[in-house]
Amino acid sequence: MFIEHLPPESHTMTALRNGMSQAELDAQADKGEPEKGRWSQEEQLLAAAVDAIRRLEWVLLCVNTEKKSKRPDPPEPMRRPGAGPRKKKAQLTKRSANTLFELLQGGAA
């Protein structure tokens, strides 16, 4: 089909996306097909530039924060179409730390 090969920022692809329900857009995002997202390549590059500026601002704040003060959390990158939300890093609990320690000490044998 010719339509599938149109650039994502074309009028036809934009009209097709605008006609989709939120559930259909979410399903595409879950499949990880950014080429079917709502942004053009230029918008993706602009988002990358915004992320870089936010990161630089964060570094500047960290450098100028007193050592004993709490540093600000790093900025979250802008969500891109077709990409799911970032997963939180797993936290090591006492129970999982003990299990890991036992495994390292040969407890699995």
Side-chain angles (χ1 to χ4, degrees), residues 26-74:
D26 291 342
Q28 281 188 351
D30 290 339
K31 288 190 244 173
E33 297 177 296
E35 68 276 3
K36 294 184 179 177
R38 301 180 200 177
W39 291 0
S40 68
Q41 187 174 13
E42 290 172 356
E43 290 167 323
Q44 294 276 7
L45 291 170
L46 183 59
V50 168
D51 288 343
I53 291 170
R54 286 180 178 171
R55 188 77 175 182
L56 285 171
E57 180 183 39
W58 175 75
V59 168
L60 183 65
L61 287 171
C62 288
V63 167
N64 290 305
T65 301
E66 293 182 24
K67 290 184 180 182
K68 293 183 180 182
S69 298
K70 183 182 181 303
R71 293 199 173 0
D73 293 331

Side-chain angles (χ1 to χ4, degrees), residues 30 79 83-88:
D30 290 339
R79 291 246 349 247
R86 296 191 94 174
K87 295 180 180 174
K88 300 243 181 204

